[in-house]
């Protein structure tokens, strides 16, 4: 059921995994100059997810508006007790409408059902809006290291949340 702004959170449909790769590739190239190396990382995440498609310890959620994807997030197993948040994205056109919060809420609900006690995620210090959302939800940064690959000059950050 859509929220008051018409945002619907659903499971992926055919083509959505390709959309996740495409939207990450385009957005981060335009916004930060992260090209093939970053898009390759996202593609590898999709392959890893799809190779474990029958796993009960992962999930993918797509946010839509007017039947078009506007956001995504994935949950994958990091350890037996810890889930990992992957490929979180919200289109700029719908930021501020609660899409990120809806996606994370769906992910946390699923993580609890699976039995994870902790969630972790990786981001960079460039992700100002995402970092603010993670902090608001209760994630805490646990480590920070200089990025030596696609985002030179930025910092990789690991964040965690007890659920």
């Amino acid at each position: 059921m859509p929220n008051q702004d018409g945002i619907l959170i659903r499971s992926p449909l055919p083509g959505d995994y390709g959309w996740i790769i495409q939207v990450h590739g385009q957005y981060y190239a335009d916004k930060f100059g992260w090209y093939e190396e970053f898009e390759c990382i996202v593609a590898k995440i999709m392959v890893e997810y799809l190779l474990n498609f029958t796993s009960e310890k992962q999930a993918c959620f797509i946010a839509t508006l007017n039947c078009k994807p506007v956001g995504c997030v994935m949950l994958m197993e990091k350890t037996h007790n810890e889930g990992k948040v992957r490929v979180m994205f919200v289109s700029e056109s719908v930021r501020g409408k609660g899409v990120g919060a809806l996606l994370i809420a769906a992910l946390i609900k699923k993580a609890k059902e699976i039995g994870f006690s902790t969630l972790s995620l990786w981001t960079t210090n460039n992700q100002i809006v995402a970092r603010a959302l993670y902090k608001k939800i209760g994630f805490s940064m646990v480590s920070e290291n200089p990025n030596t690959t696609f985002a030179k000059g930025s910092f990789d950050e690991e964040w965690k949340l007890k659920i």
Side-chain angles (χ1 to χ4, degrees), residues 121-127 130-131 134 155-159:
L121 62 86
W122 167 90
T123 191
T124 69
N125 62 309
N126 302 79
Q127 312 308 311
R131 291 167 78 241
Y134 301 144
F155 288 88
D156 293 336
E157 301 173 346
E158 183 178 14
W159 293 59

Side-chain angles (χ1 to χ4, degrees), residues 10-29:
R10 63 164 171 77
S11 297
L13 297 174
D16 284 338
Y17 300 110
W19 174 80
I20 293 170
I21 297 167
Q22 178 186 15
V23 74
H24 277 79
Q26 289 173 332
Y27 177 81
Y28 288 99

Side-chain angles (χ1 to χ4, degrees), residues 97-150:
K97 295 186 181 217
V99 174
L102 290 169
L103 286 165
I104 291 289
L107 185 135
I108 289 172
K109 180 180 179 206
K110 181 64 175 179
K112 287 179 179 177
E113 290 171 6
I114 289 170
F116 293 136
S117 58
T118 305
L119 289 173
S120 66
L121 62 86
W122 167 90
T123 191
T124 69
N125 62 309
N126 302 79
Q127 312 308 311
I128 306 300
V129 175
R131 291 167 78 241
L133 174 64
Y134 301 144
K135 190 173 187 178
K136 182 178 179 182
I137 291 167
F139 280 87
S140 298
M141 185 174 30
V142 296
S143 69
E144 179 182 59
N145 296 296
N147 184 296
T148 58
T149 58
F150 60 87

Side-chain angles (χ1 to χ4, degrees), residues 11 26 43 46-47 50 53 72 74 80-81 91 94-95 103 119 132 137:
S11 297
Q26 289 173 332
M46 290 304 106
V47 169
L50 291 169
F53 188 73
C72 59
M74 293 178 121
H80 178 69
N81 295 318
S91 297
V94 295
R95 290 190 184 164
L103 286 165
L119 289 173
I137 291 167

Side-chain angles (χ1 to χ4, degrees), residues 1-10 63-67 102:
M1 171 169 244
N3 77 350
Q4 69 275 6
D5 291 317
I7 304 296
L8 174 69
I9 305 299
R10 63 164 171 77
T64 63
L65 178 62
N66 300 323
C67 300
L102 290 169

